[in-house]
Amino acid sequence: KAGVTQTPRYLIKTRGQQVTLSCSPISGHRSVSWYQQTPGQGLQFLFEYFSETQRNKGNFPGRFSGRQFSNSRSEMNVSTLELGDSALYLCASSYDGQGATYEQYFGPGTRLTVT
Amino acid sequence: AQSVTQLGSHVSVSEGALVLLRCNYSSSVPPYLFWYVQYPNQGLQLLLKYTSAATLVKGINGFEAEFKKSETSFHLTKPSAHMSDAAEYFCAVISNAGNMLTFGGGTRLMVKP
């Protein structure tokens, strides 16, 4: 099976702009989670989508949003970018059906730099 | 609330030596525990997982971890380090409250020739 894919791999944006990141999960996985990784804060959970619904949300401001499509692909959006939003954004997918053991499989990430 | 503590942000071993990376967790319910590895400029790769089936878990690349409930620990070991093991390792916990992984701060493993 193909792994989790994320596009784009690298982005450079200016403060105040908005950005959209895309994630395609492993085939058959309906749960998609997003994480932010920074040197100072480590890995932090942003939100999780399952069957096109946000099921869990981390402690991030409303500028961070996401959605999931009927084919389980997911996008996350960050509006009004701040310098502190510079990070590696990781998407992970998991199988959430009968017998699930909750392991998540990660994509390569999108490196966002805000200048 | 659940949390994960990884003792030692940096660990250095010689090639061929034992690797021991420490992880302690807290969880109000029986946890699912995971170790991930991250190589530079890459995402996270699942090394192994504990899901209550067996306390000693074997993973990829010769790594294993032992779940000790009395010590709330899930330490990662490998008998003999290779240069290719140099990377950052993350311990993570998930509760049945949803698909939200809580990560430790990570341990950077350096392997000396």
Side-chain angles (χ1 to χ4, degrees), chain A residues 78 85 93:
Chain A
V78 188
D85 297 332
S93 77

Side-chain angles (χ1 to χ4, degrees), chain A residues 22-37:
Chain A
S22 182
C23 171
S24 292
I26 291 170
S27 178
H29 287 190
R30 292 195 294 161
S31 171
V32 174
S33 299
W34 289 89
Y35 295 84
Q36 182 196 64
Q37 185 177 26

Side-chain angles (χ1 to χ4, degrees), chain B residues 35 48 55-59 63-67 74-77:
Chain B
W35 275 99
L48 50 78
T55 56
L56 183 62
V57 181
K58 294 188 183 299
F63 285 94
E64 62 181 37
E66 186 172 9
F67 173 71
F74 190 56
H75 302 330
L76 182 70
T77 61

Side-chain angles (χ1 to χ4, degrees), chain B residues 56-111:
Chain B
L56 183 62
V57 181
K58 294 188 183 299
I60 62 171
N61 302 338
F63 285 94
E64 62 181 37
E66 186 172 9
F67 173 71
K68 292 187 176 180
K69 184 178 179 181
S70 60
E71 299 177 9
T72 60
S73 69
F74 190 56
H75 302 330
L76 182 70
T77 61
K78 182 173 181 178
S80 176
H82 293 186
M83 296 296 291
S84 60
D85 294 328
E88 188 152 24
Y89 293 80
F90 293 93
C91 182
V93 64
I94 198 167
S95 73
N96 61 5
N99 266 359
M100 184 185 85
L101 281 169
T102 299
F103 287 91
T107 297
R108 185 168 298 280
L109 176 66
M110 294 165 284
V111 182

